Amino acid sequence: MGTENVLRNLQLVDGQMVDITIRDGIITAITPPGQAEGETGQDCSGLYVSSGWIDLHVHAVPDFDPYGDEIDEIGVKRGVTALVDAGSCGADRIGLFYKESLKAATQVFAFLNISRIGLERTDELSRLEWIDLPKAAEAVQAYPDFIVGLKARISQSVVKDSGIQPLKLARRLSEDTGLPLMVHIGSAPPAISEVLELLQPGDVITHYLNGKANNLFHTDGTPLQGLLDAAARGVHLDVGHGTASFSFRIAEQAKKSGIALNTISTDIYRGNRLNGPVYSMSDVLTKFLCLGYNLEEVIRAVTSNAAEWLGKKELAGIRVGQQANLTLFAVEAGEKRLRDSEGEVRVAHHYIEAKGVYTNGSLITC
Ligand code: ZN
Ligand code: ZN
């Protein structure tokens, strides 16, 4: 006899009510409320359930400052069952990080920073000799299930005088390894048009809703043609909220322009978790509810959309026979003040709050 757990009276994001029976970590039944076998279980009335949230952009190496944090602190304790570290490590440290990540309850993947030093410094692409392509390619070969892409932070404070050259080298590494790029965008130079033209289908633009001068929208609020072209050819758009990269004004313009919502990620690390404006995945998701996206669209952006980009569809959906990988959350009625990276505030009248995750065969409360 293995262990059995029944989570009762949960609501799916489409409104349907269910009991979910889990045996030895596997979902064995999804039934209407009250119809699960057995007497035991947990009453989850008032809670929603989705497949486990996936955060595509975080900083999960604790000893890095400012861009670092504890894995489970930004993972399972915040409703996130799988996260992708966005380039904290380059080839020098990715092996150490991989070993550390295995100790966490949260599932971890990584973008390999194209700079071998990763975020040991915040100008990691300012010297081209730090971009060691053979060493990076070796790391990709050594950790094929862990490294899901290559990270290049292409903005002024990171590249300094290197201009667009680091992105060209990233492109070459992408061709050599077959891995897509995640490109951080921000202040110029390089100009955003130069960045956009180098991006290919499957690549990710993170911080696409940033409100800086070199962003993806004209001052009248219409999207740059380069953004529309990139989206049309299959470049993936990722939020990457962060301390400085999410603007309500830009997000409203993106919605009005019909730019599709692909993935919502936090770019969370200790500083913006403790002091805002990120705080948690729940808060970032709430911002998108507040923008007028419905609950299904918002949750899709941290479940199936992210799993699809990762090529790991098994991480999304709730099906019998599958590993139970679930996030339990509430949508509470009440006012919540939400601040963006520009200091602008919106007031939400409903907010999302992660309450727990079911992963690795047990329930962890948030
Ligand atoms: Zn960034
Ligand atoms: Zn980041």
Side-chain angles (χ1 to χ4, degrees):
M1 281 294 288
T3 55
E4 187 176 84
N5 203 338
V6 186
L7 305 177
R8 298 181 186 274
N9 302 308
L10 284 163
Q11 188 169 7
L12 301 173
V13 287
D14 66 6
Q16 207 189 137
M17 300 294 298
V18 292
D19 287 352
I20 300 178
T21 305
I22 302 164
R23 182 181 284 273
D24 296 331
I26 306 285
I27 297 174
T28 53
I30 303 168
T31 46
Q35 290 182 23
E37 285 177 24
E39 301 291 311
T40 57
Q42 197 142 352
D43 182 22
C44 301
S45 294
L47 296 186
Y48 282 92
V49 64
S50 68
S51 60
W53 295 349
I54 302 167
D55 194 339
L56 205 64
H57 182 160
V58 306
H59 293 282
V61 177
D63 19 323
F64 282 165
D65 188 55
Y67 305 130
D69 210 339
E70 306 288 335
I71 296 171
D72 288 338
E73 213 45 67
I74 55 178
V76 290
K77 291 186 193 167
R78 297 283 179 294
V80 172
T81 57
L83 52 77
V84 189
D85 181 88
S88 300
C89 299
D92 287 352
R93 295 205 29 172
I94 196 76
L96 265 176
F97 177 45
Y98 172 67
K99 284 192 199 86
E100 278 303 305
S101 77
L102 298 176
K103 298 177 192 162
T106 313
Q107 186 169 13
V108 180
F109 302 102
F111 287 96
L112 179 75
N113 199 310
I114 61 160
S115 169
R116 58 183 293 167
I117 66 171
L119 297 182
E120 278 172 43
R121 303 170 55 120
T122 55
D123 59 351
E124 76 273 12
L125 297 177
S126 61
R127 287 170 56 180
L128 293 178
E129 64 264 34
W130 288 331
I131 308 176
D132 184 335
L133 296 188
K135 197 159 186 242
E138 260 172 51
V140 167
Q141 278 205 328
Y143 303 99
D145 300 324
F146 183 57
I147 298 175
V148 297
L150 307 168
K151 180 78 187 288
R153 300 201 307 141
I154 306 298
S155 60
Q156 179 45 209
S157 64
V158 184
V159 302
K160 300 255 171 85
D161 297 327
S162 303
I164 200 70
Q165 194 57 24
L167 186 55
K168 289 188 171 161
L169 292 170
R171 184 80 278 154
R172 198 192 300 167
L173 185 62
S174 164
E175 273 156 32
D176 293 347
T177 58
L179 287 179
L181 303 179
M182 175 186 261
V183 176
H184 140 128
I185 58 169
S187 300
I192 192 65
S193 54
E194 273 186 285
V195 175
L196 285 170
E197 64 191 25
L198 283 166
L199 301 185
Q200 293 181 359
D203 288 341
V204 178
I205 299 174
T206 192
H207 310 316
Y208 84 104
L209 299 175
N210 83 78
K212 296 169 186 173
N214 191 39
N215 72 23
L216 292 163
F217 294 79
H218 295 290
T219 41
D220 70 357
T222 55
L224 299 188
Q225 190 58 42
L227 168 61
L228 297 173
D229 293 346
R233 70 178 180 268
V235 173
H236 181 104
L237 304 176
D238 176 62
V239 170
H241 186 307
T243 305
S245 300
F246 175 79
S247 154
F248 274 123
R249 183 177 51 85
I250 298 296
E252 284 154 5
Q253 289 167 351
K255 184 166 192 294
K256 209 164 106 189
S257 314
I259 308 279
L261 183 60
N262 294 164
T263 47
I264 300 174
S265 67
T266 58
D267 189 11
I268 197 168
Y269 49 85
R270 214 174 280 113
N272 66 33
R273 168 169 66 81
L274 296 172
N275 307 316
V278 174
Y279 297 110
S280 66
M281 178 58 96
S282 296
D283 276 30
V284 175
L285 295 179
T286 298
K287 286 174 176 169
F288 285 82
L289 274 188
C290 189
L291 283 161
Y293 293 96
N294 66 42
L295 188 63
E296 283 184 84
E297 291 170 312
V298 169
I299 296 303
R300 201 184 299 140
V302 280
T303 55
S304 51
N305 289 2
E308 225 163 273
W309 184 86
L310 285 166
K312 298 175 192 303
K313 289 195 181 166
E314 68 279 8
L315 292 179
I318 303 176
R319 286 177 291 270
V320 171
Q322 204 179 34
Q323 277 282 344
N325 170 47
L326 309 169
T327 296
L328 276 50
F329 63 98
V331 180
E332 312 273 13
E335 285 199 352
K336 183 156 195 166
R337 282 170 59 84
L338 303 164
R339 182 164 48 90
D340 73 3
S341 302
E342 313 284 310
E344 284 215 32
V345 171
R346 301 283 185 275
V347 178
H349 298 280
H350 289 90
Y351 58 94
I352 294 176
E353 209 168 82
K355 296 291 188 183
V357 300
Y358 199 103
T359 189
N360 309 316
S362 60
L363 186 64
I364 301 169
T365 22
C366 291

